[in-house]
Amino acid sequence: MGVALLIDTTRCKGCEACVYACKEVNGLPKAGAEKLQDITWTTIDKRGGLNIKRQCMHCLNPTCVSVCPVGALEKTSDGPVTYDADKCMGCRYCMVACPFGIPKYQWGEAFPKVQKCILCAEKRLSKGLKPACASVCPSGATTFGDREA
């Protein structure tokens, strides 16, 4: 079944270490961390005293993958939903199909791409490491491991 993240909102302290670890690993600018966008793939929403982590859910049956006519989004056997910008034609069907509003488009770029969390598939998982967000969480609110566990 692969790997997955488990988010325990009752343990999240709202420190945003996960947000900035994601930005660092993926070479995203430090600015603009308050909401999900093409330069922020992980955020912490503060609502009613709770801190709610928002990022790609890496769904078991992701609608973003099912609507992509060119296969730019792929659900890997290991679990992450990855994105191949070289295949993407920019139709943005994935943005419409995602019930969580996760994929974001680079509206201000000359050659825009869709951007989203890919669970550090290439930069960390392929090397046997945890995703950046899970590796830096000081409270254990974000844990990573086998989906079945």
Side-chain angles (χ1 to χ4, degrees), residues 53-105:
K53 185 176 180 191
R54 298 227 31 235
Q55 71 181 74
C56 180
M57 307 292 263
H58 299 280
C59 304
L60 288 176
N61 296 302
T63 57
C64 61
V65 171
S66 69
V67 300
C68 183
V70 293
L73 289 162
E74 177 187 5
K75 174 73 174 180
T76 66
S77 59
D78 291 337
V81 175
T82 59
Y83 171 72
D84 184 344
D86 292 333
K87 291 182 181 178
C88 184
M89 65 182 203
C91 70
R92 300 179 298 279
Y93 288 165
C94 57
M95 293 172 59
V96 176
C98 177
F100 305 105
I102 299 300
K104 301 298 180 194
Y105 196 65

Side-chain angles (χ1 to χ4, degrees), residues 16 19-20 23 30-37 40 42-44:
E16 297 185 347
V19 173
Y20 292 100
K23 285 180 163 288
K30 301 280 189 242
E34 63 280 347
K35 65 178 185 170
L36 286 178
Q37 53 188 315
T40 304
T42 300
T43 62
I44 303 294

Side-chain angles (χ1 to χ4, degrees), residues 6-148:
L6 175 66
I7 314 298
D8 183 347
T9 58
T10 64
R11 297 179 79 177
C12 181
K13 305 299 180 200
C15 70
E16 297 185 347
C18 56
V19 173
Y20 292 100
C22 175
K23 285 180 163 288
E24 184 175 326
V25 164
N26 292 294
L28 303 170
K30 301 280 189 242
E34 63 280 347
K35 65 178 185 170
L36 286 178
Q37 53 188 315
D38 64 326
I39 60 167
T40 304
W41 303 350
T42 300
T43 62
I44 303 294
D45 286 347
K46 297 170 192 296
R47 295 185 187 176
L50 283 178
N51 299 304
I52 302 164
K53 185 176 180 191
R54 298 227 31 235
Q55 71 181 74
C56 180
M57 307 292 263
H58 299 280
C59 304
L60 288 176
N61 296 302
T63 57
C64 61
V65 171
S66 69
V67 300
C68 183
V70 293
L73 289 162
E74 177 187 5
K75 174 73 174 180
T76 66
S77 59
D78 291 337
V81 175
T82 59
Y83 171 72
D84 184 344
D86 292 333
K87 291 182 181 178
C88 184
M89 65 182 203
C91 70
R92 300 179 298 279
Y93 288 165
C94 57
M95 293 172 59
V96 176
C98 177
F100 305 105
I102 299 300
K104 301 298 180 194
Y105 196 65
Q106 295 177 316
W107 294 103
E109 298 293 323
F111 299 101
K113 300 181 282 190
V114 169
Q115 297 288 286
K116 64 175 272 318
C117 164
I118 57 168
L119 206 61
C120 297
E122 294 173 8
K123 295 181 180 177
R124 296 186 56 89
L125 291 185
S126 65
K127 297 174 185 166
L129 302 170
K130 294 179 183 180
C133 61
S135 68
V136 299
C137 184
S139 66
T142 302
T143 55
F144 175 78
D146 182 65
R147 181 177 285 275
E148 291 299 316

